[in-house]
Amino acid sequence: VATTALAGSAAAVPTLAGTSHPDAGLLALEQHIEAIAARLRAATKVMNAAGAVVEARGPLRPEAPAPCPGPDALANLEEQRRDFTAWLVEGRRLMVDCGYDEAEERVSDLETELDRALWPVREVAATTLEGFRFKARMARHDPTLAEVIVRNLLSLDATATG
């Protein structure tokens, strides 16, 4: 797989050596995008499992005491603040101990990687039915591709009539 730069941008779209298919660059992206998406699904499962452990082990959120006017009002607010702070600290400790923070960071990194991999799919116009089918399959990873497909189709219509 070779890489060619898009006119007017720094992005690159792979092309298949020796291929004359008009959408070869787009079609060559599918395996890479699907591999990232599979890693993202797996990382999301790990994050959700860690979140379930945190939820199961976590202390119950402290209830706010009923307002107590008078001289005990300030003491009640201070107690509520201490209870809530302790609850937050314990929740954060559990998130770290159960691996939730690390899993969440991995998911975020993979979402960014997938978004970058989908950039050419959003920006490079498909010119064949096969290219449009590819974009439709990729829409499961990026719902905005539905609008991109419509724009691509309308631009084909404009060039055919123009």
Side-chain angles (χ1 to χ4, degrees), residues 49-152:
V53 171
V54 169
E55 185 73 28
R57 291 185 187 170
L60 295 176
R61 182 183 179 120
E63 292 188 32
C68 180
D72 293 334
L74 189 56
N76 285 342
L77 284 174
E78 183 59 27
E79 180 183 348
Q80 181 182 359
R81 186 193 63 75
R82 276 193 311 272
D83 290 348
F84 189 73
T85 300
W87 174 76
L88 285 174
V89 168
E90 178 61 11
R92 290 297 308 139
R93 186 193 65 74
L94 279 170
M95 290 175 89
V96 171
D97 289 352
C98 294
Y100 182 85
D101 283 357
E102 186 178 324
E104 184 179 44
E105 186 174 327
R106 177 76 174 138
V107 166
S108 178
D109 290 348
L110 286 166
E111 287 172 339
T112 300
E113 186 179 347
L114 182 60
D115 185 61
R116 285 185 187 135
L118 285 166
W119 188 90
V121 181
R122 288 188 294 269
E123 298 299 322
V124 176
T127 57
T128 65
L129 181 57
E130 202 174 346
F132 284 106
R133 285 182 176 154
F134 163 72
K135 284 188 173 213
R137 286 191 304 274
M138 295 301 101
R140 74 185 137 186
H141 306 303
D142 182 357
T144 66
L145 283 172
E147 182 181 328
V148 169
I149 293 168
V150 171
R151 270 197 329 264
N152 285 176

Side-chain angles (χ1 to χ4, degrees), residues 28-49:
L29 296 169
E30 187 164 16
Q31 187 175 11
H32 177 66
I33 291 169
E34 290 299 343
I36 296 167
R39 291 194 323 266
L40 176 58
R41 284 189 300 275
T44 300
K45 285 181 183 178
V46 169
M47 182 183 75
N48 290 342

